[in-house]
Amino acid sequence: SQNEPCSFVIFGATGDLATHKLLPALFDLERVERLVDDLSFIALARRSWTTDDWLEHVRTLLKDKIEQSSIPQEVLNRFLARFRYLQADLNDTESYRTLAADLTACGSTGSRTVFYLAIRPADFVTVIKNLKAAGLNEPRGMNRVVIEKPFGEDLESAQVLNRVLHQNFDEEQIYRIDHFLGKETVQNLLVFRFANTIIEPLWNRNFIDHVQITVAESIGIGKRAGYYDRAGALRDMLQNHLMQLLTVVAMEPPPALEADALRDEKVKVLRSIRPIGKRAVHAHAVRAQYTHGSIDGQSVVGYQQEENIELGSITETFAAAKFYIDNWRWRGVPFYLRTGKRMPRQHSMIAIRFKHPPQQLFRETPLESIDPNWILLSIQPEESMHMEIHVKQPGLDMNTRVMQMNASFLKTDEQTLDAYETLLLDVIEGDRSLFIRFDEAEWAWRVIDPILKFWTVEREYIPTYPAGSWGPAEANRLFDSDDQIWRNEL
Ligand code: BG6
């Protein structure tokens, strides 16, 4: 189409993100024939490779995928034919001039290009400025730049980054990726909430006791010590992925499913979160670090023993927090968020606990064993919904029990797309609904900034949890009432 780019430039083409996420996702888009014929890719990296070297690299990378799903050779050929490799030094303005000269015009119109910065956040500013210096921020309506979280490392640096971005590009050209928004279940939340009459009337403080958002991972930090030890779980996951989940759970219906309408509503949620005072941080947030333990029968080392982590590091690998959203819908309903590495298994879930019924009619069932209703929305690995309701136990007595209504979001044989596939297509088609607007990023930082600041000062001690457990006991202190507990299982 007239708006779609015909060049897609991948900065950091040999890096982790490009290797594990971008290239497989672009290839999948090729396979389902969602890439227009005239779209070409420029892979840009430091290695002195030729395009042939690069193509060999991509072939190796996709080999297993192609064999496993018996993808026809011609799909691969079509994909490879789109690529050129460009050796570049991000700091060298000459590289950008070469790049500019290399960008072909889209038919009779000018060039339209996506610049995907799959590079270290520390290099964002350099690249953004150099792109502008080479005139590559033009044409304004057409060229797009994609950046990955983390957008800064606290409120201040996020504001600086946004300022630099805005000095060089228009907000309309900027695509800030939070890949959780590309996950099917997250988008499904909007449908679940706003397409079902039986849900939305209950979705408020009159009926909901509290909300839990868990993103548990069993993996450790792998080879990412350099990045992770500076970031920690609060910056790496909670500020972005979990806050995004929170906004989608809590937002009002937008007037239309358009990028800005949607993002306006999300920002309103973030702005309504009650600021956490310095002295309240202890009551609102818990951090911890894993020690050695075992997962799935495999013994794993503690964080301090991970490759390139210095003994004595107090970086958190687990973070939990409690937030209140002070608006008419949510006032008084705690939102409990937690995320951690080296937990027993990978599981992301939104758990909504409803209030107890006002009347205790079924006396034969002792009050304390009456569980309130829950709705559990599992995001990964399974994408499913579970509703827990009371039914009568068969028999002569009037006893109740809990039954789970389980629904997978997928029919048999259906597969979900990888989040990156969805998001990359959105970048190409120019739909910014699932990307983070500058004020969203800033407000999310503003919410967690007090916690961040407090933790930065308190450097002596961090609670621990054994790898393979659901986190430290300290995480229980966040709960407002005794009958609230972390929901670990479906
Ligand atoms: C990334 C974090 O943003 O998300 C990683 O930096 C984390 O630490 C990853 O492992 C989780 O994403 P997913 O899609 O694998 O759940």
Side-chain angles (χ1 to χ4, degrees):
S1 97
Q2 281 298 298
N3 291 320
E4 289 195 11
C6 61
S7 309
F8 193 109
V9 182
I10 305 172
F11 282 83
T14 54
D16 256 16
L17 180 70
T19 307
H20 298 302
K21 297 290 187 185
L22 305 186
L23 291 165
L26 288 171
F27 181 64
D28 279 331
L29 289 175
E30 179 79 83
R31 185 162 60 112
V32 296
E33 297 180 13
R34 294 299 289 266
L35 302 179
V36 291
D37 288 343
D38 69 351
L39 180 66
S40 58
F41 297 128
I42 298 181
L44 198 141
R46 204 173 359 204
R47 290 180 208 178
S48 55
W49 276 1
T50 61
T51 294
D52 279 339
D53 296 331
W54 167 259
L55 295 181
E56 200 43 49
H57 168 77
V58 180
R59 258 187 222 108
T60 319
L61 199 92
L62 296 173
K63 191 163 174 285
D64 289 348
K65 192 181 172 79
I66 289 173
E67 280 169 10
Q68 272 158 23
S69 331
S70 0
I71 301 170
Q73 182 65 31
E74 71 218 41
V75 176
L76 178 65
N77 293 345
R78 222 170 38 212
F79 187 59
L80 295 178
R82 296 179 186 274
F83 277 102
R84 268 167 298 154
Y85 180 83
L86 204 70
Q87 187 198 358
D89 174 350
L90 301 183
N91 292 303
D92 180 7
T93 50
E94 188 54 39
S95 291
Y96 297 79
R97 279 196 289 275
T98 315
L99 173 62
D102 215 44
L103 291 173
T104 41
C106 310
S108 56
T109 56
S111 73
R112 293 192 290 270
T113 312
V114 172
F115 302 100
Y116 198 118
L117 310 195
I119 51 175
R120 293 185 313 156
D123 291 328
F124 286 165
V125 167
T126 312
V127 175
I128 294 292
K129 288 182 174 165
N130 283 335
L131 284 173
K132 155 108 178 247
L136 289 171
N137 59 339
E138 312 269 359
R140 291 272 179 161
M142 297 297 173
N143 283 2
R144 295 160 203 173
V145 51
V146 187
I147 65 172
E148 282 277 339
K149 57 139 274 244
F151 317 114
E153 42 185 41
D154 55 14
L155 176 60
E156 251 194 317
S157 56
Q159 287 171 329
V160 171
L161 176 61
N162 277 334
R163 218 171 301 134
V164 172
L165 281 164
H166 288 161
Q167 278 158 4
N168 299 284
F169 287 85
D170 294 338
E171 177 67 18
E172 285 63 38
Q173 299 176 276
I174 304 167
Y175 290 70
R176 296 178 193 78
I177 286 210
D178 182 317
H179 78 282
F180 265 56
L181 288 178
K183 291 187 194 276
E184 200 89 57
T185 328
V186 176
Q187 295 167 57
N188 201 0
L189 244 168
L190 294 176
V191 180
F192 179 66
R193 288 191 54 200
F194 301 135
N196 295 303
T197 316
I198 58 169
I199 302 298
E200 190 52 20
L202 303 179
W203 210 256
N204 58 53
R205 60 196 296 264
N206 298 327
F207 299 99
I208 291 180
D209 177 78
H210 74 273
V211 175
Q212 295 184 16
I213 301 176
T214 297
V215 178
E217 297 184 283
S218 57
I219 54 169
I221 57 155
K223 298 207 177 308
R224 300 163 79 212
Y227 156 75
Y228 196 89
D229 201 45
R230 276 191 62 135
L234 188 62
R235 287 191 180 93
D236 183 50
M237 300 288 288
L238 203 136
Q239 187 270 347
N240 36 78
H241 303 327
L242 280 87
M243 286 305 256
Q244 283 298 318
L245 295 178
L246 177 145
T247 58
V248 180
V249 172
M251 68 188 259
E252 297 300 319
L257 217 52
E258 287 160 6
D260 277 322
L262 208 86
R263 298 186 297 178
D264 285 345
E265 296 306 332
K266 288 162 69 194
V267 169
K268 283 184 208 162
V269 173
L270 294 170
R271 295 186 64 167
S272 305
I273 294 180
R274 192 185 306 166
I276 298 174
K278 223 188 270 165
R279 257 179 272 144
V281 170
H282 185 74
H284 277 264
V286 169
R287 62 178 162 172
Q289 193 183 72
Y290 60 82
T291 53
H292 71 92
S294 104
I295 294 177
D296 273 342
Q298 299 266 6
S299 124
V300 297
V301 299
Y303 183 72
Q304 309 254 338
Q305 287 75 48
E306 295 279 11
E307 208 177 302
N308 296 325
I309 298 290
E310 270 177 44
L311 220 57
S313 160
I314 62 144
T315 299
E316 81 283 356
T317 59
F318 172 98
K322 168 169 65 184
F323 298 112
Y324 293 103
I325 304 169
D326 287 341
N327 61 20
W328 280 74
R329 189 191 283 267
W330 294 115
R331 170 98 198 188
V333 179
F335 281 69
Y336 301 111
L337 277 51
R338 70 176 165 161
T339 181
K341 302 264 186 224
R342 288 290 189 223
M343 290 171 76
R345 59 193 184 88
Q346 185 207 30
H347 192 208
S348 303
M349 170 164 85
I350 297 167
I352 315 284
R353 208 197 90 176
F354 286 81
K355 293 189 171 174
H356 287 282
Q359 186 191 10
Q360 184 51 39
L361 186 59
F362 306 102
R363 300 267 171 219
E364 310 229 346
T365 309
L367 181 61
E368 56 280 7
S369 72
I370 294 267
D371 291 313
N373 298 119
W374 287 84
I375 290 180
L376 309 172
L377 300 162
S378 174
I379 298 171
Q380 60 190 16
E382 50 275 289
E383 309 210 33
S384 53
M385 193 193 81
H386 310 260
M387 209 181 277
E388 288 184 353
I389 58 165
H390 291 273
V391 295
K392 182 183 171 300
Q393 242 178 59
L396 296 174
D397 298 323
M398 192 53 168
N399 284 329
T400 64
R401 70 174 175 210
V402 173
M403 197 194 91
Q404 237 190 22
M405 293 159 58
N406 302 322
S408 169
F409 287 148
L410 301 176
K411 296 185 183 168
T412 353
D413 295 344
E414 274 180 342
Q415 269 188 358
T416 45
L417 303 179
D418 183 71
Y420 275 92
E421 227 176 303
T422 309
L423 296 175
L424 287 172
L425 192 62
D426 283 350
V427 171
I428 292 170
E429 293 181 344
D431 180 355
R432 289 178 299 124
S433 315
L434 298 179
F435 296 82
I436 310 293
R437 202 167 61 188
F438 76 100
D439 49 348
E440 246 179 298
E442 288 189 23
W443 277 101
W445 278 117
R446 203 165 273 134
V447 170
I448 71 149
D449 222 46
I451 306 176
L452 213 64
K453 294 253 158 64
F454 190 79
W455 286 358
T456 316
V457 179
E458 302 268 294
R459 310 271 333 147
E460 298 83 53
Y461 168 75
I462 180 159
T464 58
Y465 60 103
S469 70
W470 284 99
E474 279 86 346
N476 295 326
R477 73 158 189 253
L478 298 182
F479 289 120
D480 281 356
S481 85
D482 286 347
D483 72 338
Q484 296 175 341
I485 48 159
W486 289 110
R487 180 88 202 214
N488 296 332
E489 305 295 335
L490 283 178

